[in-house]
Amino acid sequence: MNAGAAHNSPGAGMPSVITAADATRMSLNSSLISANLAAYTILVLAAFQWLLIFVSHCVLQRRYVRRRPFVDRPTDDYPGVTIIRPVKGVDHGMQRTLESSFLQEYPGPVEILFAVEDPDDLAIEVISNIIARYPKVQARVLIGKDNVGINPKVNNMLKA
């Protein structure tokens, strides 16, 4: 008897009838689930991309940017270095470029030679101002023209 009562309950043993409203509601639920799944997938991919960018930035910082200290040993143990800078005329950003030679972190002695061809070159004034700002760095301006080849930069550097 109880078994018959269970069969008389709605939907038990009989195919259920789906109304148009039910079909629309199920379609909307299915669409919302698909939209949510797509949104979560995009969010996870974006988070993964940012994580990848962050990790690669950290690796590059560690490998290329981090200053590595020189080995603990007396300054006299490092050989002297001469930086030769051929210069002609004044360019945009030239002062910052030339000044970078003075900002080296090499522990040994550093000498900077600026080779200029023409004594009336406007670059001499820029170089003199930079040399005056760094009196502890050994730097000189060499002026003159030596024609030994076809490359003007090489000709200019031969004075050094």
Side-chain angles (χ1 to χ4, degrees), residues 46-60:
F48 178 72
Q49 180 182 9
W50 279 108
L51 178 68
L52 187 64
I53 289 170
F54 177 74
V55 168
S56 62
H57 173 74
C58 290
V59 167
L60 290 174

Coordinates of all heavy atoms in Angstrom, one line a residue, residues 46-60:
A46 N 44.3 35.5 -15.9 CA 44.9 36.8 -15.6 C 45.7 36.7 -14.4 O 46.8 37.3 -14.4 CB 43.8 37.9 -15.4
A47 N 45.3 36.1 -13.3 CA 46.1 35.9 -12.1 C 47.4 35.2 -12.4 O 48.5 35.5 -12.0 CB 45.3 35.2 -11.0
F48 N 47.3 34.1 -13.2 CA 48.5 33.4 -13.6 C 49.4 34.2 -14.4 O 50.7 34.2 -14.2 CB 48.1 32.1 -14.4 CG 49.3 31.3 -14.9 CD1 50.0 30.6 -14.0 CD2 49.6 31.4 -16.2 CE1 51.1 29.8 -14.5 CE2 50.7 30.6 -16.7 CZ 51.5 29.9 -15.8
Q49 N 48.9 35.1 -15.3 CA 49.7 35.9 -16.1 C 50.5 36.9 -15.2 O 51.7 37.2 -15.4 CB 48.9 36.7 -17.2 CG 49.7 37.6 -18.0 CD 48.8 38.4 -19.0 OE1 47.6 38.3 -18.9 NE2 49.4 39.1 -19.9
W50 N 49.8 37.5 -14.3 CA 50.4 38.5 -13.4 C 51.5 37.8 -12.5 O 52.5 38.4 -12.2 CB 49.4 39.2 -12.5 CG 48.7 40.3 -13.2 CD1 47.5 40.4 -13.7 CD2 49.3 41.5 -13.6 NE1 47.2 41.5 -14.4 CE2 48.4 42.3 -14.3 CE3 50.6 42.1 -13.5 CZ2 48.6 43.5 -14.8 CZ3 50.9 43.4 -14.0 CH2 49.9 44.1 -14.7
L51 N 51.2 36.6 -12.1 CA 52.2 35.8 -11.3 C 53.4 35.6 -12.1 O 54.5 35.7 -11.7 CB 51.6 34.5 -10.8 CG 52.5 33.6 -10.0 CD1 52.8 34.2 -8.7 CD2 51.9 32.2 -9.9
L52 N 53.2 35.2 -13.4 CA 54.4 35.0 -14.3 C 55.2 36.2 -14.5 O 56.4 36.2 -14.5 CB 53.8 34.4 -15.6 CG 54.9 33.9 -16.6 CD1 55.6 32.8 -16.1 CD2 54.2 33.6 -18.0
I53 N 54.5 37.4 -14.7 CA 55.2 38.6 -14.9 C 56.0 39.0 -13.6 O 57.1 39.4 -13.7 CB 54.2 39.8 -15.2 CG1 53.7 39.6 -16.6 CG2 54.8 41.1 -15.1 CD1 52.5 40.5 -17.0
F54 N 55.4 38.8 -12.4 CA 56.0 39.1 -11.2 C 57.3 38.2 -11.0 O 58.3 38.7 -10.6 CB 55.1 38.9 -10.0 CG 55.7 39.1 -8.7 CD1 56.0 40.4 -8.2 CD2 56.0 38.1 -7.8 CE1 56.6 40.6 -7.0 CE2 56.5 38.2 -6.6 CZ 56.8 39.5 -6.2
V55 N 57.1 36.9 -11.2 CA 58.3 36.0 -11.0 C 59.4 36.4 -12.0 O 60.6 36.4 -11.6 CB 57.8 34.6 -11.2 CG1 59.0 33.6 -11.3 CG2 56.9 34.2 -10.0
S56 N 59.1 36.6 -13.3 CA 60.1 37.0 -14.2 C 60.8 38.3 -13.9 O 62.0 38.4 -14.0 CB 59.6 37.0 -15.7 OG 58.6 38.0 -15.8
H57 N 60.0 39.2 -13.4 CA 60.6 40.5 -12.9 C 61.6 40.3 -11.8 O 62.7 40.8 -11.8 CB 59.5 41.5 -12.5 CG 60.0 42.7 -11.9 ND1 60.5 43.7 -12.6 CD2 60.0 43.1 -10.6 CE1 60.9 44.7 -11.8 NE2 60.6 44.4 -10.6
C58 N 61.2 39.4 -10.8 CA 62.1 39.2 -9.7 C 63.4 38.5 -10.2 O 64.5 38.8 -9.7 CB 61.4 38.3 -8.7 SG 60.1 39.2 -7.8
V59 N 63.2 37.5 -11.1 CA 64.4 36.8 -11.6 C 65.3 37.8 -12.4 O 66.6 37.8 -12.2 CB 64.0 35.7 -12.6 CG1 65.2 35.1 -13.3 CG2 63.3 34.6 -11.7
L60 N 64.8 38.7 -13.2 CA 65.6 39.6 -13.9 C 66.3 40.6 -13.0 O 67.4 41.0 -13.2 CB 64.7 40.4 -15.0 CG 64.3 39.5 -16.1 CD1 63.3 40.3 -17.0 CD2 65.5 39.0 -16.9

